[in-house]
Amino acid sequence: MERVSLTGNDAVGTAMAQINPDVVAAFPITPQTELMHKFAEFYADGKVNTELILVESEHSAMSAVVGSAAAGARSMTATSANGFALMWEIVYIAASLRLPIVMPVVNRALSGPINIHCDHSDTMGGRDSGWVQLFSENTQEVYDNVIMAVKIAEHKDILLPVMATFDGFIISHTQEVVELLSDEEVQKFIGKKEMYYPLLDVKNPVTYGPLDLQDYYFEHKRQQVEAMLKVPAVVDEVAKDYAKLTGRKYDFIEIYGPEDAEISLVALGSTAGTAKDVVDKLNDEGKKVNLVKIRMFRPWPHETIVNALKGKKAIGIMDRSDSFGALGGPVFMEIRSSLMGEIKEDITANYIYGLGGRDISAPEIESVYNDLFEIAETGKVKNRKTYLGVRE
Amino acid sequence: MAVKLKDLSKKKDVLAGGHRACAGCGPAVLLRQATLAVDEDLVVGFATGCMEVVTTIYPYTSWRIPYIHNAFENSAATMSGVETAFRSLKKQGKLPVDKDIKFIAFGGDGGTYDIGLQSLSGAMERGHNMVYICYDNEGYMNTGIQRSSATPYGAATTTAPAGKAVPGKLQFRKDLSEILAAHHIPYIAQTSIHDWRDVVTKVQKAVSVEGPAFINAFAPCHRGWRYPMEKTIEVAKMAVETCFWPLYEVENGEYKITYKPKEKVPVEDWLKSQGRFKHLFTDEHKHMIQELQNHVDMLWNNLLKKAGEL
């Protein structure tokens, strides 16, 4: 196993080259651009068999990979923020056609106002699109998630698209040491792509995307739900295989710090890394706290979340995007919904932070834990929703 | 070699009968002509629109060949992905090497002139080995006869109705074939469903060139244009006889007019055949007929010049 220093984008570009997809569609958007630069270098040097389509928009990028995936080709694209929003319509269609497309998404704030830095408003908006969503804390994790995503998406029980997300600039543009698999190991791990009802099988013609009205649409949506319900078992199976290969085992969530701590903070993405430092510091000071990092956001790992959070005295939930007019951010609403009936008192507090790339510091995260200590002590939540690090 | 009706009649239709197009539907005629023209294995893609709706209401499909519909504006992008997958898989030996497949993306004028223009332009510029065929019935007929950029000047539609203050559409139609010509792709043609030989010949040329080809096919809609359903072929023919819809091709940059009316029929005669232009035949609006005639004359002269005939 090779240990190299790479940016998140370079690591994912490398993972894509090692996956060696049959078709990749690319359109530039910050901060995803360098990812495709990296992949394009592999392509230009003849190191991949991929046919690269340099489309004229993200809408066409997703449309083209829907076409190529339906044709039977292993297909990938990547995007960020507004690019994701532009392909929105086809993101849903990709899932409903059961096409195992894999798409790294470099999280960036959605316009407006226009901003190029990290938050999760892009992919959180796509949480009901029917895609599997894996969030990544760091460069190693996104490299690993992208490789595992291929195997999850193409599993015969699943056949759903997967997005592997990582934080724009914070991960995409900073260097970290990453352990890379060899090309052969990646190929052996993901295996040969099976084709199910490929459009190019002219001897057995199929119709993709017919008009589906009142008498069948609902059943097809129901089948999509069933496929999604089968995802956790496959994600777990793939993670176990991956652990055998790499020694790195990924679960739906990661609990950092003592599992029996009565105070938990929930976060996803790169902020989990910062929070881990704070957890270490507080535990060193004799304050027993932990962090629950969510890796798989769709499908939502309800049981796992309940097991991790029931019996807590205070739970802080970090959201890097807001849901305007709602009770809280998307992560908050999922957590509270899961905990319904599992906790007696309302001991959850939501922290909206880091919108548009606003930095989140260790002291700020520590201030959240301090709030949680107070909730644990008094049993009362003063502020259900707090905007962290904003000028009010 | 000239196409013979006898030969075509022996070929098996890839589009099964019993689909739900209206009796007298122009675009449905085009689909048969275009698919019968192709001898090789064929994969088709469709933009959302009448022809997608009427041929594939689940659990039925009229297609005996592979078919994909994705959305309204992306038939070209979708088929560019299918064609790229074919090249990739063939190159890697994941498909039988000798297999040749042709790809045709279809869209109506709404899905081509308007919402799908970017997707079409991108696919043509990228040089995919595919054909795009627009079935041009001059409006959004599937959603209920709304105005598109292919709707002619003066026509009444549901979104640009002929009212007391506004007499239908006030703009001339977009010249999409010329926009495609500016892409300098190997083959561009305008055809019309009244001339089956013209359609078949042009589709055969289009699929045989290396690289992208575009065909703009005139395919009247009697529901939208307001004429008796049995007149579809006549109405298409008259548009060509008036030079409102010239039949021509641009092959590697060379313009060639493939049909020249012996005597150019006044546009007025064509307008008369359709209810959508009824309001123009009043004292208040008849000047619009002359304006449309002037526009048609100007474009026809330009075409004659480009083809070296003037």
Side-chain angles (χ1 to χ4, degrees), chain B residues 187-228:
Chain B
Y187 188 75
I188 297 129
Q190 279 200 174
T191 186
S192 165
I193 59 154
H194 78 275
D195 188 344
W196 62 266
R197 196 191 303 272
D198 192 67
V199 175
V200 171
T201 307
K202 285 173 177 169
V203 171
Q204 286 181 342
K205 264 193 183 177
V207 294
S208 68
V209 299
E210 274 299 312
F214 174 80
I215 292 176
N216 206 353
F218 203 63
C221 166
H222 64 80
R223 296 291 304 128
W225 298 12
R226 304 296 179 205
Y227 62 81

Coordinates of all heavy atoms in Angstrom, one line a residue, chain B residues 187-228:
Chain B
Y187 N -23.3 16.6 -41.8 CA -24.5 16.6 -42.6 C -25.7 17.2 -41.9 O -25.9 16.9 -40.7 CB -24.9 15.1 -42.9 CG -26.0 14.9 -43.9 CD1 -25.9 15.2 -45.2 CD2 -27.3 14.6 -43.4 CE1 -27.0 15.1 -46.1 CE2 -28.4 14.4 -44.3 CZ -28.2 14.7 -45.6 OH -29.3 14.6 -46.5
I188 N -26.4 18.1 -42.6 CA -27.6 18.7 -42.1 C -28.6 18.7 -43.2 O -28.3 18.9 -44.4 CB -27.3 20.2 -41.7 CG1 -26.3 20.3 -40.6 CG2 -28.6 20.9 -41.3 CD1 -25.2 21.3 -40.9
A189 N -29.8 18.4 -42.9 CA -30.9 18.4 -43.9 C -32.2 18.9 -43.4 O -32.5 18.7 -42.2 CB -31.0 17.0 -44.5
Q190 N -33.0 19.5 -44.3 CA -34.4 19.7 -44.0 C -35.2 18.8 -44.9 O -34.9 18.7 -46.1 CB -34.8 21.2 -44.3 CG -34.4 22.1 -43.2 CD -35.2 23.4 -43.2 OE1 -35.0 24.2 -42.2 NE2 -36.0 23.7 -44.2
T191 N -36.2 18.2 -44.3 CA -37.0 17.3 -45.1 C -38.5 17.5 -44.7 O -38.8 18.3 -43.8 CB -36.6 15.8 -44.9 OG1 -37.3 15.0 -45.8 CG2 -36.8 15.3 -43.5
S192 N -39.4 16.8 -45.3 CA -40.8 16.9 -45.0 C -41.5 15.6 -45.2 O -41.2 14.9 -46.2 CB -41.5 18.0 -45.9 OG -42.9 17.9 -45.8
I193 N -42.4 15.2 -44.3 CA -43.0 13.9 -44.3 C -43.8 13.6 -45.6 O -44.1 12.4 -45.9 CB -43.9 13.6 -43.1 CG1 -45.0 14.7 -43.0 CG2 -43.0 13.6 -41.8 CD1 -46.2 14.1 -42.3
H194 N -44.2 14.6 -46.4 CA -45.0 14.3 -47.5 C -44.2 13.6 -48.6 O -44.7 13.0 -49.5 CB -45.6 15.6 -48.1 CG -44.6 16.4 -48.9 ND1 -43.8 17.3 -48.3 CD2 -44.4 16.4 -50.2 CE1 -43.0 17.9 -49.3 NE2 -43.4 17.4 -50.4
D195 N -42.9 13.7 -48.5 CA -42.0 13.2 -49.5 C -41.2 12.0 -48.8 O -40.1 12.2 -48.3 CB -41.0 14.2 -50.0 CG -40.2 13.8 -51.2 OD1 -40.1 12.5 -51.4 OD2 -39.7 14.7 -51.9
W196 N -41.8 10.8 -48.8 CA -41.1 9.7 -48.1 C -39.7 9.4 -48.6 O -38.8 9.1 -47.9 CB -42.0 8.5 -48.1 CG -42.2 7.9 -49.5 CD1 -43.3 8.2 -50.3 CD2 -41.4 7.0 -50.2 NE1 -43.1 7.5 -51.5 CE2 -42.0 6.8 -51.5 CE3 -40.2 6.4 -49.9 CZ2 -41.4 6.0 -52.5 CZ3 -39.6 5.6 -50.9 CH2 -40.2 5.4 -52.2
R197 N -39.6 9.6 -49.9 CA -38.3 9.3 -50.5 C -37.2 10.2 -50.0 O -36.1 9.9 -49.8 CB -38.4 9.3 -52.1 CG -37.2 8.6 -52.7 CD -37.2 8.8 -54.2 NE -38.4 8.4 -54.9 CZ -38.6 7.2 -55.4 NH1 -37.7 6.3 -55.2 NH2 -39.8 6.9 -56.0
D198 N -37.6 11.5 -49.9 CA -36.7 12.5 -49.4 C -36.3 12.2 -48.0 O -35.1 12.2 -47.6 CB -37.4 13.9 -49.5 CG -36.4 15.0 -49.3 OD1 -35.5 15.2 -50.1 OD2 -36.5 15.7 -48.2
V199 N -37.3 11.8 -47.2 CA -37.0 11.5 -45.7 C -36.0 10.3 -45.7 O -35.0 10.4 -45.0 CB -38.3 11.2 -44.9 CG1 -37.9 10.8 -43.5 CG2 -39.2 12.4 -44.9
V200 N -36.4 9.3 -46.4 CA -35.6 8.0 -46.3 C -34.2 8.2 -46.8 O -33.2 7.8 -46.2 CB -36.3 6.9 -47.0 CG1 -35.4 5.7 -47.1 CG2 -37.6 6.5 -46.3
T201 N -34.1 8.9 -47.9 CA -32.7 9.2 -48.5 C -31.9 10.0 -47.5 O -30.7 9.7 -47.3 CB -32.9 9.9 -49.8 OG1 -33.8 9.2 -50.7 CG2 -31.5 10.1 -50.5
K202 N -32.5 11.0 -46.9 CA -31.7 11.9 -46.0 C -31.3 11.2 -44.7 O -30.2 11.3 -44.2 CB -32.5 13.2 -45.8 CG -32.4 14.1 -47.0 CD -33.2 15.3 -46.9 CE -33.0 16.2 -48.1 NZ -34.0 17.3 -48.2
V203 N -32.2 10.4 -44.2 CA -31.9 9.6 -43.0 C -30.8 8.6 -43.3 O -29.8 8.5 -42.5 CB -33.1 8.9 -42.4 CG1 -32.7 8.0 -41.3 CG2 -34.2 9.9 -41.9
Q204 N -30.8 8.0 -44.5 CA -29.8 7.0 -44.8 C -28.4 7.7 -44.9 O -27.4 7.2 -44.5 CB -30.1 6.3 -46.1 CG -31.2 5.3 -45.9 CD -31.6 4.5 -47.1 OE1 -31.3 4.9 -48.2 NE2 -32.3 3.3 -46.9
K205 N -28.4 8.9 -45.5 CA -27.2 9.7 -45.6 C -26.7 10.1 -44.2 O -25.5 10.0 -43.9 CB -27.5 11.0 -46.4 CG -27.1 10.9 -47.9 CD -27.1 12.4 -48.4 CE -26.8 12.3 -49.9 NZ -26.9 13.7 -50.5
A206 N -27.6 10.5 -43.4 CA -27.3 11.0 -42.1 C -26.6 9.9 -41.2 O -25.6 10.1 -40.5 CB -28.5 11.5 -41.3
V207 N -27.2 8.7 -41.3 CA -26.6 7.6 -40.5 C -25.3 7.1 -41.1 O -24.5 6.5 -40.4 CB -27.6 6.4 -40.2 CG1 -28.8 6.8 -39.4 CG2 -28.0 5.7 -41.5
S208 N -25.1 7.3 -42.4 CA -23.9 6.8 -43.0 C -22.7 7.7 -42.8 O -21.5 7.2 -43.0 CB -24.1 6.5 -44.5 OG -24.3 7.7 -45.1
V209 N -22.9 9.0 -42.4 CA -21.7 9.8 -42.3 C -21.0 9.5 -41.0 O -21.6 9.0 -40.0 CB -22.0 11.4 -42.3 CG1 -22.6 11.8 -43.6 CG2 -22.9 11.8 -41.1
E210 N -19.7 9.7 -40.9 CA -18.9 9.6 -39.7 C -19.1 10.9 -38.9 O -18.8 12.0 -39.4 CB -17.4 9.4 -40.0 CG -17.0 8.0 -40.2 CD -17.2 7.1 -39.0 OE1 -16.9 7.4 -37.9 OE2 -17.8 6.0 -39.3
G211 N -19.6 10.8 -37.7 CA -19.8 12.0 -36.9 C -21.3 12.4 -36.9 O -22.2 11.7 -37.3
P212 N -21.5 13.6 -36.3 CA -22.9 14.0 -36.1 C -23.7 14.5 -37.3 O -23.1 15.0 -38.2 CB -22.8 15.1 -35.1 CG -21.4 15.7 -35.2 CD -20.6 14.6 -35.8
A213 N -25.0 14.2 -37.3 CA -25.8 14.7 -38.4 C -27.1 15.2 -37.8 O -27.5 14.7 -36.8 CB -26.1 13.6 -39.4
F214 N -27.7 16.1 -38.5 CA -29.0 16.7 -38.0 C -30.0 16.8 -39.1 O -29.7 17.2 -40.2 CB -28.7 18.1 -37.5 CG -30.0 18.8 -37.1 CD1 -30.6 18.6 -35.8 CD2 -30.6 19.8 -37.9 CE1 -31.8 19.2 -35.5 CE2 -31.7 20.4 -37.6 CZ -32.3 20.1 -36.3
I215 N -31.2 16.3 -38.8 CA -32.3 16.4 -39.8 C -33.5 17.2 -39.1 O -33.9 16.8 -38.0 CB -32.7 15.0 -40.3 CG1 -31.6 14.4 -41.1 CG2 -34.0 15.1 -41.1 CD1 -31.9 13.0 -41.6
N216 N -34.0 18.2 -39.8 CA -35.1 18.9 -39.4 C -36.3 18.5 -40.3 O -36.3 18.8 -41.4 CB -34.8 20.4 -39.5 CG -35.6 21.3 -38.6 OD1 -36.5 20.8 -37.9 ND2 -35.3 22.6 -38.6
A217 N -37.2 17.8 -39.7 CA -38.3 17.2 -40.5 C -39.6 17.9 -40.2 O -40.1 17.9 -39.1 CB -38.4 15.7 -40.2
F218 N -40.2 18.4 -41.2 CA -41.5 19.1 -41.1 C -42.6 18.0 -41.0 O -42.7 17.1 -41.8 CB -41.7 19.9 -42.4 CG -42.6 21.1 -42.2 CD1 -42.3 22.1 -41.4 CD2 -43.8 21.1 -43.0 CE1 -43.2 23.2 -41.2 CE2 -44.7 22.2 -42.8 CZ -44.4 23.2 -41.9
A219 N -43.4 18.1 -39.9 CA -44.3 17.1 -39.6 C -45.6 17.7 -39.0 O -45.7 17.9 -37.8 CB -43.7 16.1 -38.6
P220 N -46.5 18.1 -39.8 CA -47.7 18.8 -39.4 C -48.5 18.1 -38.3 O -48.6 16.9 -38.3 CB -48.5 19.1 -40.6 CG -47.6 19.0 -41.8 CD -46.6 17.9 -41.3
C221 N -49.2 18.9 -37.5 CA -50.1 18.5 -36.4 C -51.5 19.1 -36.7 O -51.7 20.3 -36.5 CB -49.5 18.9 -35.1 SG -50.7 18.8 -33.7
H222 N -52.4 18.2 -37.1 CA -53.7 18.8 -37.4 C -54.5 19.4 -36.2 O -55.3 20.3 -36.3 CB -54.6 17.8 -38.1 CG -55.0 16.6 -37.3 ND1 -56.0 16.5 -36.4 CD2 -54.4 15.3 -37.3 CE1 -56.1 15.3 -35.9 NE2 -55.1 14.6 -36.4
R223 N -54.2 18.8 -35.0 CA -54.8 19.3 -33.8 C -54.3 20.8 -33.5 O -55.1 21.6 -33.1 CB -54.5 18.5 -32.6 CG -55.0 17.1 -32.6 CD -56.5 17.0 -32.5 NE -57.0 17.6 -31.3 CZ -58.0 18.5 -31.3 NH1 -58.6 18.9 -32.5 NH2 -58.4 19.1 -30.2
G224 N -53.1 21.0 -33.7 CA -52.5 22.3 -33.4 C -52.7 23.3 -34.6 O -52.8 24.5 -34.3
W225 N -52.7 22.8 -35.8 CA -52.8 23.7 -36.9 C -54.2 24.0 -37.4 O -54.4 24.8 -38.2 CB -51.9 23.2 -38.1 CG -50.4 23.0 -37.8 CD1 -49.9 23.1 -36.5 CD2 -49.4 22.8 -38.7 NE1 -48.5 22.9 -36.6 CE2 -48.2 22.7 -37.9 CE3 -49.3 22.6 -40.1 CZ2 -46.9 22.4 -38.5 CZ3 -48.1 22.3 -40.7 CH2 -46.9 22.3 -39.9
R226 N -55.1 23.1 -36.9 CA -56.5 23.3 -37.2 C -56.8 23.1 -38.7 O -57.1 24.0 -39.5 CB -57.0 24.6 -36.8 CG -56.8 24.9 -35.3 CD -57.6 23.9 -34.4 NE -57.4 24.2 -33.0 CZ -57.5 23.3 -32.0 NH1 -57.8 22.1 -32.3 NH2 -57.3 23.6 -30.8
Y227 N -56.6 21.8 -39.2 CA -57.0 21.4 -40.5 C -57.6 20.0 -40.4 O -57.3 19.3 -39.4 CB -55.9 21.5 -41.5 CG -54.7 20.6 -41.2 CD1 -54.7 19.3 -41.5 CD2 -53.6 21.1 -40.5 CE1 -53.7 18.4 -41.2 CE2 -52.5 20.2 -40.2 CZ -52.6 18.9 -40.6 OH -51.6 18.1 -40.2
P228 N -58.3 19.5 -41.4 CA -58.9 18.2 -41.3 C -57.8 17.1 -41.3 O -56.8 17.3 -42.0 CB -59.8 18.0 -42.5 CG -60.0 19.4 -43.0 CD -58.8 20.2 -42.6

